[in-house]
Amino acid sequence: MRTAVYPGSFDPVTMGHLDIARRAATMCDRLIVAVLRNPSKNPLFTIGERVEMLEEVCRDMPNVEVDSFEGLLVDYACQRGAHILIKGLRAVSDFECELQQAHINRRLDSRVDTVFLATEACYAYLSSSLVREVVMLGGSVAGLVPPGVEDRLIAKLRQ
Ligand code: PNS
């Protein structure tokens, strides 16, 4: 079985993430969308909330599983029997950092390969941080995040 891991913070999941997950899921038997548990970061949504939102939006994809992890990504991937990491690339600005990560991950475990998918052009500018900022300042992110996620953002940021 070909298993791939799509890791990230997903704080929160955007339509850009969902597009990458949907396309990656067609390329493998099982896709694990894995949320990083990073105690040093100060996320808006808890791990439980991020996993729940991802489960809601991935529900129609039978070969997609949502999980969370901490520690090294390559260790987690190998524990789950995955040797493919999926990353979305929005622009050249993403590339340098992603290439560094792909190299260090291969250095850490040479069985692991990173597959980059180019984000749909209509989501090329989209990020979770931009979405959080727009909602905090009173703007609409309809169409940029899956239905339901905007309501959760409003509830968190405009209390
Ligand atoms: O959505 P993000 O925040 O850009 O995702 C970053 C992520 C989770 C892919 C990256 O931080 C990661 O892989 N963290 C796990 C720790 C690790 O393995 N670090 C060494 C290689 S980068």
Side-chain angles (χ1 to χ4, degrees), residues 89-114:
L89 282 182
R90 291 167 297 190
V92 177
S93 51
D94 281 343
F95 185 70
E96 200 169 339
C97 178
E98 290 297 345
L99 190 62
Q100 272 185 331
Q101 291 187 38
H103 283 313
I104 191 73
N105 282 331
R106 270 190 71 72
R107 166 93 197 188
L108 291 165
D109 190 329
S110 59
R111 293 170 298 175
V112 170
D113 259 306
T114 302

Side-chain angles (χ1 to χ4, degrees), residues 33-53:
V33 181
V35 185
L36 174 66
R37 278 189 261 129
N38 186 348
S40 64
K41 268 197 176 180
N42 189 20
L44 177 64
F45 290 99
T46 66
I47 281 288
E49 289 168 330
R50 283 179 276 159
V51 166
E52 193 176 87
M53 283 186 273

Side-chain angles (χ1 to χ4, degrees), residues 14-16 19 23 90 118-127 143-144:
T14 68
M15 292 304 282
D19 165 61
R23 286 157 55 203
R90 291 167 297 190
T119 302
E120 280 295 348
C122 59
Y123 302 131
Y125 60 92
L126 187 55
S127 68
L144 301 180

